[in-house]
Amino acid sequence: MVFFRQKNRDLSDKIDKNKLPIHIGIIMDGNGRWAQKRGMMRFYGHKAGVNAVREVVKASRELGIKYLTLYAFSTENWKRPKEEVNFLMDLLVEYLSKEVDELNKNNVLINFIGDISVLPEKCKIEIDRAQNVTKNNSGLVLNIALNYGGRDEIVKAVKKICTKILNKELSIEEITEQTISENLYTKNQPDPDLIIRTSGEKRLSNFLLWQSAYSELWFTEVLWPDFGKEHLIEAILYYQTRQRRFGGV
Ligand code: IPE
Ligand code: IPE
Ligand code: MG
C-alpha cells in the first residue's frame, strides 16, 4: 500500500503542471471481460467498474484536471440484453445517490451529456438532483455521457440549427464550426485534449466525434475495473510527450 502511494507520488512528480490536459475523455471499456476472466457474470465487472470511476474522479481533482468526460452508456448499448441494461441503469442510480453529496463537498460540477429524456424515471430523478445540487460548483466538471452518441449529438445539433433558420434567428451564411460546437451537449466546454480508452480496443465507438478532431489518443490493455490513478498519470505523461501541431508546422 505504502509502496503504491509512493509510486504514484513519484510518477505525479513527473507531470508538468503547466502542460496539463484541460479536458480528458475516457471510454471506460472492458468491464464484461474483467468479470468473465474471473469466471463471473458481466454484472460484477460493472460493479467493480464503479470503484475505478471513484478513483479516477478523485485523481483528476487532485491532479487539477478541469473537465473529465466519462463514457458510461452509448446510444448503441441498448442492443445489450435487457437485464444488463437494467443493471447499468440501477448502478447509475446507486452511484449517484451514494456519491453526489461527497462530490458536491469536493466542489465537483456534475453534468450529463446524451439524451437523458428517454431514460427510466428513477434515473432522471437522480440526474436532476445531481445537476441541481452541484450546479454552482467551480471545481472539476464531471461530464457523464449517458445514452450518448456522437452521431446522435450531431443530428440533434443540425435539427436545432435548422429550427433557428426556420425561425429566422440565423441565416445559412452565418453557420460556422462555432455554430455546430455551440449546439452540442458540450457547448461552452473546451474540446478534449486527451482521450483514453481501456481494454485494448482502438476505436472511438461514437464518442465525442466532433470534439475529438485534434485530441491525443491513448490506449491501454488495462480493463476498466483495474484502471487507477497510476494509469491516469501514465496517460497524462504520454500526452505531455506529444507535440500538438493542429495542422501547423
Ligand atoms: C464497458 O464495459 C461498460 C459499458 C459499455 C457500459 P463493457 O461492458 O463494454 O465490457 P466488455 O467490452 O464487454 O468487456
Ligand atoms: C463503448 O464501449 C461505450 C462505453 C464505454 C459506454 P462498447 O463496449 O459499447 O464499444 P464497442 O461495442 O466495443 O465498440
Ligand atoms: Mg465493451
Side-chain angles (χ1 to χ4, degrees):
M1 205 49 200
V2 174
F3 167 75
F4 277 120
R5 237 179 266 137
Q6 188 62 37
K7 196 174 121 204
N8 277 344
R9 186 168 319 122
D10 290 348
L11 270 176
S12 56
D13 282 351
K14 293 205 178 90
I15 291 179
D16 179 349
K17 291 278 178 196
N18 298 313
K19 268 176 65 180
L20 278 177
I22 294 168
H23 184 172
I24 298 180
I26 308 185
I27 303 170
M28 311 184 288
D29 198 13
N31 292 350
R33 278 164 284 169
W34 184 91
Q36 276 157 357
K37 259 174 60 180
R38 288 162 175 76
M40 300 192 293
M41 307 266 286
R42 296 176 53 82
F43 304 91
Y44 289 98
H46 295 313
K47 238 182 140 52
V50 176
N51 298 328
V53 169
R54 215 173 277 124
E55 180 163 343
V56 164
V57 171
K58 180 163 180 276
S60 299
R61 281 199 295 107
E62 289 168 355
L63 294 168
I65 303 303
K66 187 62 198 148
Y67 297 86
L68 176 68
T69 301
L70 300 179
Y71 203 5
F73 193 88
S74 76
T75 47
E76 287 72 39
N77 286 148
W78 297 106
K79 292 178 193 161
R80 297 185 179 205
K82 215 171 122 215
E83 296 71 36
E84 182 168 345
V85 171
N86 288 342
F87 186 85
L88 287 166
M89 296 300 158
D90 287 345
L91 204 56
L92 171 84
V93 170
E94 191 188 323
Y95 171 77
L96 291 176
S97 61
K98 276 195 191 151
E99 304 286 325
V100 165
D101 293 332
E102 180 73 14
L103 290 166
N104 186 38
K105 255 186 242 154
N106 290 317
N107 201 20
V108 175
L109 187 150
I110 308 174
N111 181 48
F112 286 83
I113 66 171
D115 185 0
I116 54 174
S117 70
V118 298
L119 295 182
E121 202 51 39
K122 61 185 177 201
C123 295
K124 288 199 261 184
I125 291 169
E126 286 301 329
I127 288 170
D128 282 350
R129 188 178 87 88
Q131 295 194 135
N132 275 325
V133 168
T134 65
K135 67 175 180 231
N136 295 319
N137 290 345
S138 58
L140 174 73
V141 175
L142 173 63
N143 289 320
I144 303 178
L146 201 62
N147 192 21
Y148 173 88
R151 288 187 169 186
D152 181 58
E153 181 182 37
I154 293 169
V155 168
K156 287 191 164 62
V158 169
K159 287 183 178 169
K160 280 194 236 168
I161 294 166
C162 289
T163 307
K164 284 175 194 162
I165 291 172
L166 283 174
N167 293 340
K168 306 248 188 294
E169 290 161 35
L170 187 74
S171 72
I172 291 178
E173 293 68 34
E174 282 168 336
I175 299 174
T176 62
E177 292 188 4
Q178 185 65 22
T179 317
I180 310 277
S181 296
E182 278 167 7
N183 284 283
L184 299 175
Y185 294 117
T186 51
K187 60 172 177 289
N188 302 326
Q189 297 192 6
D191 288 337
D193 302 292
L194 170 64
I195 291 180
I196 295 171
R197 182 168 188 152
T198 57
S199 88
E201 309 298 348
K202 295 186 178 64
R203 54 177 173 260
L204 286 174
S205 301
N206 211 1
F207 186 53
L208 301 178
L209 294 185
W210 175 272
Q211 300 89 331
S212 63
Y214 271 101
S215 302
E216 299 297 333
L217 308 177
W218 189 75
F219 300 101
T220 175
E221 296 293 323
V222 172
L223 303 173
W224 178 250
D226 292 328
F227 193 90
K229 184 171 187 177
E230 70 269 32
H231 305 107
L232 185 68
I233 294 172
E234 206 180 318
I236 294 172
L237 289 173
Y238 163 82
Y239 168 83
Q240 296 191 329
T241 67
R242 308 315 304 160
Q243 197 200 357
R244 303 185 77 193
R245 288 185 284 276
F246 298 99
V249 286

